[in-house]
Amino acid sequence: MPLPDSITQLIAELNRLPGIGPRSAERIALHLVLSEVAAARQLSEAILSARERIRLCALCGALTEESRCDICTDARRDASLVCVVEQPVDIFSIEKSGTFRGKYHVLGGKISPLDGVEPDDLRIADLEKRLESEPIKEIVVALGTDVEGDATGFYLAKRLARPGLRITRIAHGLPAGTGLEFADELTLSRALEGRRDME
Ligand SMILES: [Zn+2]
């Protein structure tokens, strides 16, 4: 007997989420339809409320409910140091390591001609604007360790180069070919401490 349409549809929606395969989607869907209506409603409202309230920080691109995020508005953070990451989630990874006390800038991806991502598709011009208006002395490039991450790092180092600005990259030691989200806190913390100047 096939599953009722509404369950099949729920499974299909869940299956579209990252990290949830067909088996998990099925298990979660069956759990949900057998749970209390109130619990299901609470979950759907939490999803909707988060989606409606969360936006990108106008300055750094982090996830926030305000126009500027908590890190950008925190006067105790070192405004002379800006760490460049690919995605908002990378900020959480670095914050968990507890090593970095500067600010951030989210690129929104990495240069990848094969996927049609050009420099203009990333928030690089926004970063250049910040260099003009903020007391930034060092840019720490913390991108993934794959080919696109490396290429993007070198592109940034060249385009952002200007007198008085140090451009560093986090030390290798991150698993090859991966993003920051897969690195453990100690590895990230060491990678940040061991950062070096880019050519
Ligand atoms: Zn921000």
Side-chain angles (χ1 to χ4, degrees):
M1 195 189 78
L3 286 165
D5 284 349
S6 57
I7 299 183
T8 312
Q9 199 188 337
L10 179 55
I11 293 171
E13 291 299 329
L14 290 166
N15 194 199
R16 289 166 56 186
L17 301 175
I20 298 188
R23 297 285 296 270
S24 303
E26 204 173 292
R27 211 161 53 230
I28 295 168
L30 291 172
H31 168 83
L32 287 173
V33 296
L34 293 172
S35 65
E36 298 287 337
V37 171
R41 180 172 294 125
Q42 209 173 339
L43 174 64
S44 68
E45 280 169 2
I47 293 171
L48 206 56
S49 153
R51 181 59 195 93
E52 284 173 350
R53 288 162 73 173
I54 294 295
R55 49 180 151 158
L56 301 182
C57 170
L59 208 53
C60 75
L63 300 178
T64 177
E65 293 186 358
E66 315 295 333
S67 69
R68 299 218 167 163
C69 73
D70 288 346
I71 293 177
C72 282
T73 53
D74 186 348
R76 290 164 301 178
R77 310 263 324 194
D78 184 354
S80 72
L81 199 57
V82 170
C83 181
V84 175
V85 295
E86 274 169 46
Q87 302 295 345
V89 67
D90 297 330
I91 295 178
F92 295 111
S93 305
I94 294 178
E95 286 296 292
K96 264 191 285 175
S97 80
T99 313
F100 189 70
R101 295 300 304 156
K103 305 212 171 186
Y104 292 94
H105 191 85
V106 179
L107 285 184
K110 51 197 167 185
I111 300 167
S112 175
L114 287 178
D115 301 315
V117 183
E118 305 289 341
D120 283 352
D121 298 318
L122 305 175
R123 302 180 63 253
I124 300 173
D126 292 340
L127 182 54
E128 287 175 319
K129 267 186 231 150
R130 292 183 66 182
L131 285 174
E132 284 161 25
S133 58
E134 295 177 41
I136 302 171
K137 291 202 180 75
E138 181 181 346
I139 297 272
V140 184
V141 177
L143 303 174
T145 54
D146 53 4
V147 179
E148 290 88 3
D150 279 344
T152 307
F154 285 117
Y155 177 85
L156 283 179
K158 212 168 163 189
R159 177 161 161 184
L160 301 178
R162 55 203 71 199
L165 179 70
R166 201 177 156 207
I167 301 177
T168 56
R169 63 181 294 164
I170 56 172
H172 284 294
L174 296 181
T178 62
L180 300 191
E181 60 197 291
F182 301 108
D184 64 77
E185 287 146 39
L186 185 63
T187 307
L188 258 182
S189 165
R190 283 188 181 144
L192 273 162
E193 276 160 2
R195 66 184 187 269
R196 32 191 94 123
D197 291 289
M198 295 190 72
E199 296 304 308

